[in-house]
Amino acid sequence: MLGSLAARVLDGSDLDEALAVVERDPITNVFVASRIYAAGLDPWRLGGEVWGFSRHGKLESLCYSGANLVPVEATPDAVRAFAERARRQGRRCSSIVGPAEPTRLLWELLEPYWGPARDVRATQPLMATWGPAPADIEPDLRVRPVRPDEVDILMPACVAMFTEEVGVSPLSGDGGAMYRARVAELVQAGRAFARIEDGRVVFKAEIGAVTPHCCQIQGVWVTPERRGQRLSIGGMAAVIEYALRDFAPIVSLYVNDYNAPARAAYRRVGFTEVGTFMSVLF
């Protein structure tokens, strides 16, 4: 494991420089940027650490180390420094996720120590839109923000989506307490949206990360018996309208390359591909 310069844990004195780094690409870096905007660089509030890599006294790259390990604007030298720090502390994350090239290098360096992974998703298109869905698409007016008293209605859909997407249940370990708290937090913030029929969710999506520049949709799900009925198109058109109106001027998401129906639906409502992510799941 090589690295001529070491990564260090950032603190409050680095905040302005760290924000300047994440703002170089507000779409790609929205997750880490949202954490820093919300919690600063205090590890207790962040639920993790932000590592920095500097060259000639200037902060060049970041890596968020929490439930996820996420490289930000990471040069090859920075990735090597982040990999060395991650190797020394041992794996604490459930995934490595970020722009494909630095994430691929980070995993190549860590795989001998952390492998094997449960799943590697090497190509995940990053998509964004700057405006509402095309005029010929009607947003589904039955898609609306979930109310705090509807968390119990939303939870089964969230658990089904997570299990289907990630391959493990979010109820394992602590019985789902942390996952439920996160879902409730998104509901309370007005960032969980659903179409509910007869007390059951048939479509849902959340806005997981928000900055002044961009927000990121996550957890898009249609109940299995209603798939193929274009619920995701009208539903996503509605969520985009809420996102642009209430949260940020750019709406983003990333999707598995093999999920052709989802990619087609996202393109239909105005998303275009702007980059490629990679995820390593443990």
Side-chain angles (χ1 to χ4, degrees), residues 153 196-201:
I153 295 174
I196 300 172
E197 296 179 357
D198 300 322
R200 293 178 63 249
V201 171

Side-chain angles (χ1 to χ4, degrees), residues 133-139 230 233 268:
D136 63 333
I137 295 177
E138 290 289 334
R230 297 172 59 87
I233 293 177
R268 184 70 182 90

Side-chain angles (χ1 to χ4, degrees), residues 8-271:
R8 64 183 178 88
V9 178
L10 302 184
D11 60 29
S13 66
D14 302 297
L15 181 59
D16 289 343
E17 276 194 287
L19 286 172
V21 172
V22 295
E23 287 170 358
R24 289 182 206 155
D25 187 341
I27 299 174
T28 300
N29 302 330
V30 64
F31 170 73
V32 175
S34 71
R35 301 295 300 156
I36 296 175
Y37 273 110
L41 293 171
D42 177 67
W44 181 259
R45 295 179 61 210
L46 273 171
E49 298 174 336
V50 176
W51 303 338
F53 178 85
S54 298
R55 193 184 300 276
H56 306 305
K58 182 177 176 61
L59 190 62
E60 181 176 274
S61 305
L62 309 177
C63 186
Y64 176 80
S65 174
N68 311 299
L69 193 65
V70 186
V72 177
E73 300 294 310
T75 64
D77 283 345
V79 170
R80 293 184 183 95
F82 297 147
E84 176 64 13
R85 188 174 189 97
R87 183 190 68 81
R88 289 181 180 275
Q89 76 168 21
R91 184 174 70 81
R92 301 177 184 177
C93 60
S94 60
S95 69
I96 305 172
V97 59
E101 287 310 310
T103 302
R104 185 173 293 110
L105 176 57
L106 189 56
W107 178 231
E108 285 176 3
L109 295 170
L110 288 173
E111 185 177 12
Y113 308 96
W114 288 9
R118 184 169 52 82
D119 193 10
V120 177
R121 300 176 183 180
T123 306
Q124 297 176 300
L126 174 65
M127 309 180 80
T129 184
W130 288 256
D136 63 333
I137 295 177
E138 290 289 334
D140 187 344
L141 299 180
R142 287 163 289 189
V143 172
R144 57 171 176 80
V146 178
R147 300 190 307 265
D149 65 348
E150 294 175 316
V151 171
D152 286 339
I153 295 174
L154 180 62
M155 271 296 292
C158 291
V159 171
M161 177 282 304
F162 188 99
T163 304
E164 185 177 328
E165 171 65 20
V166 180
V168 296
S169 171
L171 304 181
S172 59
D174 64 355
M178 288 185 64
Y179 186 67
R180 180 186 174 86
R182 176 57 176 160
V183 170
E185 179 185 350
L186 291 172
V187 169
Q188 194 66 42
R191 287 158 50 185
F193 305 89
R195 174 171 164 174
I196 300 172
E197 296 179 357
D198 300 322
R200 293 178 63 249
V201 171
V202 298
F203 166 86
K204 76 159 195 76
E206 296 90 45
I207 298 174
V210 175
T211 76
H213 312 292
C214 182
C215 63
Q216 187 171 83
I217 294 175
Q218 65 179 35
V220 180
W221 182 84
V222 176
T223 191
E225 65 270 19
R226 300 289 295 277
R227 292 174 187 174
Q229 299 180 15
R230 297 172 59 87
L231 286 178
S232 62
I233 293 177
M236 286 297 291
V239 174
I240 289 168
E241 285 199 349
Y242 281 113
L244 291 171
R245 187 189 70 194
D246 298 334
F247 296 103
I250 306 172
V251 185
S252 72
L253 54 80
Y254 63 97
V255 59
N256 293 315
D257 63 335
Y258 53 78
N259 193 344
R263 293 175 67 184
Y266 300 150
R267 286 193 296 267
R268 184 70 182 90
V269 296
F271 283 94

